[in-house]
Amino acid sequence: MTEVAVLGVGLLTAVFVAVNVGGSSTGVCFGPAVGSGIVSLRGASGLMAVFAFIGGIVIGPNVVETMGRDLVPPEQFTLAASTAVLLFTGIGLVLSNYLRISASTSQIAVVAIVGMGVALGVLNWATFGIILTWWILSAIISFWISVVVGRYLYDSLVELLDFGDEGEKSKYAQMLVLVVGCYMAFSAGASNVANAVAPLVGSDAIEMTPAVVLGGVAIGAGAFLIGPRTMKTIGNEITNISLEAALVIETTAATIITLLSLAGIPASLAIVATLSVIGLGWGRSTKRVPVGADVALGELSEDEKKKVREDSLELYNLGTSRRIVATWIVAPILAGTLAFVAFGLAIYFGLM
């Protein structure tokens, strides 16, 4: 295969990854706003395209630098190697989409690069350790912020926003939902554009600015091609998401991801947002339990126990959450294993 053909495959794969990122992220960012009638499907797709593009251009290069040049030496990113890493990332995405799980694209992409680095013996373990540490911390922080809000502050938030009011107050509250959705779209672009183009930038097959522009445009295309479907279905399986809950989830996730992107840390918007959903649902489902009874349900009356179980079933689906977490683990491991085996075989047969 000629170098031009390899570059063509690499660019097509990068576009495929970015389109899927745009499709899955649009549902997370604007699903609640569309479901409540604040914005149309087409309007939400347009907002996603614009703000994800801005995030990719303004902050995205920080993450591209980490993934394309810091995890492994850039000279190891030959054009063929970059294309292979993108292909393995795409395979992980396909698995997640098949299982209808909001894909952890950042983890899939990073672990694919890690698989390559381990096989070639060039992985920067310190950089990977920092990324892994922040993956864990961001998930924990998102979960517990949402638990605290759900358990102690949620009712006050509902009263403050008063979405049920038809007056001026409700209009401002609905506008806030839209603004926070745009903020989340910005954070999605900032974090995820690197997943599609970092290997190509590392190989010098394409310069940084054209790369992030390509990734941002492809994410926008995904918002129009796939986004409407994800916006219709997002959030229905884990918890009953109200507009107030959506504000908590989106603000928490977007802030964490934006800060990590500024630091050049690739992190998963899907994981942070979903753990915020789970944390908020769990916090709301336990808010009627007295503080002293949180540890021992045996101290509650039978009626109180029944109410806790009913709320837990309504607001927090443990079975679905376990399936999501399992996919988050399997998809990156699959991409990383494929990369490790492929590059190991390439070395064995003298291709590298």
Side-chain angles (χ1 to χ4, degrees):
M1 186 179 289
T2 66
E3 186 170 320
V4 174
V6 173
L7 176 59
V9 173
L11 290 173
L12 286 174
T13 309
V15 169
F16 170 80
V17 171
V19 166
N20 277 272
V21 166
S24 62
S25 299
T26 302
V28 177
C29 297
F30 290 102
V34 168
S36 63
I38 295 174
V39 65
S40 67
L41 287 171
R42 188 174 296 275
S45 296
L47 289 172
M48 179 70 194
V50 170
F51 283 93
F53 181 82
I54 295 172
I57 295 294
V58 175
I59 301 179
N62 297 0
V63 186
V64 173
E65 190 73 24
T66 299
M67 292 178 63
R69 292 175 178 150
D70 294 345
L71 268 175
V72 300
E75 60 268 18
Q76 298 296 331
F77 271 122
T78 64
L79 186 53
S82 301
T83 302
V85 167
L86 286 170
L87 284 171
F88 299 139
T89 302
I91 291 171
L93 274 173
V94 169
L95 173 64
S96 296
N97 291 338
Y98 175 76
L99 295 175
R100 292 185 298 170
I101 300 297
S102 189
S104 171
T105 319
S106 293
Q107 291 194 355
I108 294 170
V110 167
V111 175
I113 296 173
V114 168
M116 166 188 163
V118 172
L120 301 180
V122 296
L123 178 66
N124 187 330
W125 286 98
T127 299
F128 180 55
I130 292 171
I131 293 171
L132 187 61
T133 299
W134 276 109
W135 282 354
I136 297 170
L137 288 176
S138 63
I140 293 172
I141 292 169
S142 176
F143 177 80
W144 281 107
I145 286 176
S146 299
V147 167
V148 170
V149 172
R151 184 176 295 182
Y152 303 112
L153 305 175
Y154 186 77
D155 288 341
S156 298
L157 180 65
V158 171
E159 183 177 350
L160 175 66
L161 294 174
D162 195 10
F163 280 109
D165 181 19
E166 297 296 330
E168 198 71 19
K169 185 178 180 180
S170 178
K171 293 179 181 178
Y172 286 125
Q174 291 181 10
M175 183 61 66
L176 181 60
V177 172
L178 200 58
V179 169
V180 172
C182 293
Y183 175 37
M184 200 171 190
F186 176 89
S187 72
S191 177
N192 286 315
V193 72
N195 301 328
V197 302
L200 294 177
V201 173
S203 68
D204 288 327
I206 183 171
E207 295 295 323
M208 177 71 79
T209 299
V212 294
V213 168
L214 173 67
V217 170
I219 288 174
F224 281 99
L225 294 173
I226 305 174
R229 183 178 63 183
T230 61
M231 282 187 283
K232 290 178 181 177
T233 59
I234 190 70
N236 291 332
E237 290 189 343
I238 302 173
T239 186
N240 297 328
I241 300 180
S242 62
L243 289 179
E244 296 87 356
L247 280 176
V248 174
I249 294 159
E250 293 183 349
T251 303
T252 301
T255 301
I256 290 172
I257 295 301
T258 299
L259 291 175
L260 289 178
S261 298
L262 281 169
I265 304 294
S268 173
L269 179 65
I271 286 183
V272 172
T274 305
L275 282 172
S276 182
V277 173
I278 295 172
L280 189 67
W282 186 57
R284 289 171 61 193
S285 71
T286 56
K287 67 183 177 183
R288 292 184 177 85
V289 183
V291 174
D294 281 352
V295 177
L297 287 178
E299 299 177 16
L300 300 178
S301 68
E302 286 302 318
D303 288 343
E304 288 174 322
K305 289 180 183 178
K306 182 179 179 182
K307 186 60 180 175
V308 169
R309 294 189 190 101
E310 288 175 351
D311 284 352
S312 297
L313 288 172
E314 180 185 355
L315 299 168
Y316 170 57
N317 190 320
L318 183 59
T320 300
S321 302
R322 285 173 176 168
R323 179 167 60 89
I324 290 172
V325 172
T327 306
W328 286 343
I329 295 171
V330 171
I333 289 177
L334 173 64
T337 301
L338 288 173
F340 176 78
V341 171
F343 285 102
L345 290 174
I347 294 172
Y348 180 79
F349 288 107
L351 301 177
M352 297 190 70

